[in-house]
Amino acid sequence: MADKNRVDEPTGTELVGHEWDGIEELNTPLPRWWLWTFYATIAWSVVYVVLYPAWPLVEQATEGTLGWSSRGELAREMEAAEAARAETFALIAATDAEDLQASPELMGQAIAGGAAAFKQHCIQCHGAGAAGYEQYGYPNLNDDDWIWGGEIGEIEYTLTHGIRWDGSDETRITYMPAFEGIFDRAQVDALVDHVLSLSGNGSSNAAGAELYAANCAACHQPSGAGDHAQGAPALNDAIWLYGKSEASIRQQILAPRHGVMPGWSDKLDPVTIRMLAAYVHSRGGGEETAPDRPAAEPDEPDVAQAEVSGAEGNDRL
């Protein structure tokens, strides 16, 4: 007690009586402002516990007298956001996909909404930049080459019903037959050379041209321009789905790969699908129709997916 009552002469502060290796502890009082701040935080915590959810119980926390919750706040904000967008959504719903471009402002709003939906639902396959993944056969959406047609309505149809998707009876279906066992090695080599020649990447040959005319031209057209009505991709450009190498083309002739795109009619509302179609169309910029590429029949539902690809690979599903 005697040590505790001792006073440190330089500071005039009482010592607490603790000493270690000649060093003693001063009993310096806390600043008054700090004490009042501490007391205020205690008072505020009591008020907070009463007003807001605080104490965890077995199934839920105490609700608080104000009835506020973060989930409730989120629901109110979401409801307000939906109300703010309701007028725009109604206009998009009332406007046919093909007519969206007539209103640049509405088209811009549709593209913005579609961009948000794309980030949530589409980047897993097509990538954040919509460039696709050639190694998996996921199309690039940034060019202007399309299998089923590049109009917004055509893209909307594919988004709704998908490609080779079991979930819709109206899905887009096209299958390339496998020629394994039909052509020998020399015939396949000749046909590969002719296919590459259609895009200026190889030399044509009589044998390959004859095989192509007999087995391929009915779908892909004599010039390789493709056919929207059949979902046959163009072969006369530099855009490929599974790669432009001789090995990739040979594999596609002998044992073709057929990708599947799900339809979104069971997961997304029609307005969101239409906005997605507008966004995908804006990425590819429509389609430049080849001179001898057959036009779609007026009564033909050849609406399509943006099965697009980069110049180095990817020629739609």
Side-chain angles (χ1 to χ4, degrees):
M1 291 297 296
D3 288 343
K4 184 177 180 180
N5 293 329
R6 289 173 50 238
V7 174
D8 178 56
E9 293 184 2
T11 62
T13 303
E14 188 177 88
L15 298 167
V16 298
H18 300 159
E19 183 269 336
W20 181 82
D21 198 21
I23 300 173
E24 296 183 276
E25 183 180 354
L26 301 177
N27 188 18
T28 303
L30 293 170
R32 185 70 62 179
W33 65 267
W34 192 96
L35 283 174
W36 283 113
T37 301
F38 180 66
Y39 296 147
T41 60
I42 295 175
W44 166 246
S45 66
V46 173
V47 173
Y48 186 93
V49 166
V50 173
L51 297 179
Y52 295 96
W55 295 101
L57 303 177
V58 176
E59 296 184 357
Q60 64 181 31
T62 55
E63 295 184 356
T65 57
L66 293 181
W68 181 93
S69 70
S70 57
R71 287 188 177 89
E73 184 71 13
L74 174 62
R76 285 188 291 272
E77 292 179 358
M78 293 290 289
E79 185 177 346
E82 290 294 330
R85 294 193 295 260
E87 182 177 355
T88 299
F89 281 15
L91 287 173
I92 294 175
T95 305
D96 289 340
E98 293 84 354
D99 298 330
L100 278 175
Q101 290 176 291
S103 173
E105 181 179 356
L106 190 61
M107 181 66 174
Q109 292 171 329
I111 290 173
F118 186 90
K119 292 175 182 177
Q120 183 175 358
H121 301 289
C122 308
I123 64 173
Q124 293 84 353
C125 293
H126 295 286
Y133 296 97
E134 179 183 317
Q135 63 269 39
Y136 303 117
Y138 297 147
N140 184 332
L141 305 179
N142 295 316
D143 58 31
D144 60 359
D145 194 37
W146 315 72
I147 277 189
W148 298 98
E151 297 298 324
I152 297 179
E154 296 170 328
I155 298 169
E156 182 183 39
Y157 186 93
T158 297
L159 288 169
T160 301
H161 301 291
I163 299 291
R164 307 179 192 94
W165 182 55
D166 293 336
S168 173
D169 294 335
E170 301 174 73
T171 189
R172 286 296 189 187
I173 296 179
T174 182
Y175 288 100
M176 176 175 171
F179 290 93
E180 182 75 58
I182 298 176
F183 297 152
D184 59 31
R185 179 60 184 262
Q187 289 175 313
V188 173
D189 289 344
L191 185 55
V192 169
D193 288 341
H194 179 74
V195 169
L196 285 171
S197 75
L198 296 174
S199 58
N201 294 307
S203 299
S204 182
N205 59 88
E210 184 178 350
L211 288 168
Y212 181 89
N215 298 277
C216 312
C219 293
H220 295 285
Q221 302 303 305
S223 67
D227 185 356
H228 290 166
Q230 301 182 70
L235 304 177
N236 59 358
D237 55 27
I239 301 173
W240 307 80
L241 181 60
Y242 293 104
K244 64 179 181 179
S245 68
E246 292 184 8
S248 296
I249 297 173
R250 179 178 290 105
Q251 179 180 350
Q252 198 65 9
I253 292 172
L254 298 176
R257 292 155 285 184
H258 299 106
V260 175
M261 174 182 167
W264 291 94
S265 57
D266 62 341
K267 295 182 177 66
L268 301 177
D269 61 85
V271 174
T272 300
I273 291 176
R274 183 159 296 172
M275 292 191 297
L276 264 174
Y279 173 73
V280 171
H281 182 272
S282 74
R283 301 290 306 193
E287 178 177 26
E288 296 178 3
T289 304
D292 59 350
R293 177 171 293 180
E297 294 296 329
D299 59 345
E300 199 174 349
D302 91 283
V303 269
Q305 166 194 19
E307 297 179 298
V308 249
S309 265
E312 289 302 315
N314 287 8
D315 198 344
R316 311 319 168 285
L317 294 177

